[in-house]
Amino acid sequence: MSERCISNEDLSTTGFSYTLSLINGKYKMTILYTLMEFGVVRFNEMKRYIGSVSYKTLSSTLKELEKDRLVIRKEYPQIPPKVEYSLTERGKSLIPILDGMCEWGDKNRL
């Protein structure tokens, strides 16, 4: 069996790189964590919970997560508009990873 050599490898072809491409971004993991913890969340609730994110950034990040099929956006036809977000089944498949990060943080927090 031959040993792998880094000069023959390409990080962009790995599962790690693909996963990172979906969750990389300043607020993506925070949004996914929020939806994991609270299930169905309205836009303004999420904005208040996260705090530091602007409306524009939150909106565009949610659109990216929706495009990547990690988040579902459900709009209700009423006035004022009501929009709720939740994880898709694909998004829910990230829960073990998020749980692992939470456990690690709890154990290693200073």
Side-chain angles (χ1 to χ4, degrees), residues 2 19 37 65 72 77 86:
S2 65
T19 304
E37 285 294 302
L65 290 168
I72 297 170
S86 59

Side-chain angles (χ1 to χ4, degrees), residues 17-24 28 32 65 68 70 90:
S17 183
Y18 176 72
T19 304
L20 195 58
S21 75
L22 296 179
I23 62 173
N24 192 26
K28 284 185 177 182
L32 293 170
L65 290 168
D68 291 331
L70 298 175
R90 186 175 191 208

Side-chain angles (χ1 to χ4, degrees), residues 16-109:
F16 173 81
S17 183
Y18 176 72
T19 304
L20 195 58
S21 75
L22 296 179
I23 62 173
N24 192 26
K26 187 170 181 179
Y27 293 101
K28 284 185 177 182
M29 290 294 288
T30 305
I31 291 168
L32 293 170
Y33 171 79
T34 303
L35 294 173
M36 177 188 81
E37 285 294 302
F38 298 102
V40 177
V41 180
R42 293 179 68 177
F43 184 89
N44 285 328
E45 292 173 329
M46 190 174 308
K47 167 68 177 96
R48 280 191 298 276
Y49 181 70
I50 296 172
S52 60
V53 65
S54 71
Y55 287 100
K56 181 179 178 183
T57 300
L58 180 57
S59 178
S60 64
T61 304
L62 283 163
K63 284 177 185 172
E64 288 175 23
L65 290 168
E66 187 180 8
K67 181 180 79 64
D68 291 331
R69 301 182 335 261
L70 298 175
V71 168
I72 297 170
R73 178 183 191 270
K74 185 171 182 181
E75 188 172 342
Y76 295 89
Q78 65 185 51
I79 297 175
K82 177 182 173 183
V83 178
E84 294 178 335
Y85 295 89
S86 59
L87 293 174
T88 62
E89 287 304 313
R90 186 175 191 208
K92 289 176 184 174
S93 69
L94 288 169
I95 288 176
I97 295 167
L98 296 170
D99 279 339
M101 292 175 68
C102 293
E103 288 174 26
W104 188 93
D106 288 340
K107 289 178 186 173
N108 292 281
R109 188 184 324 212

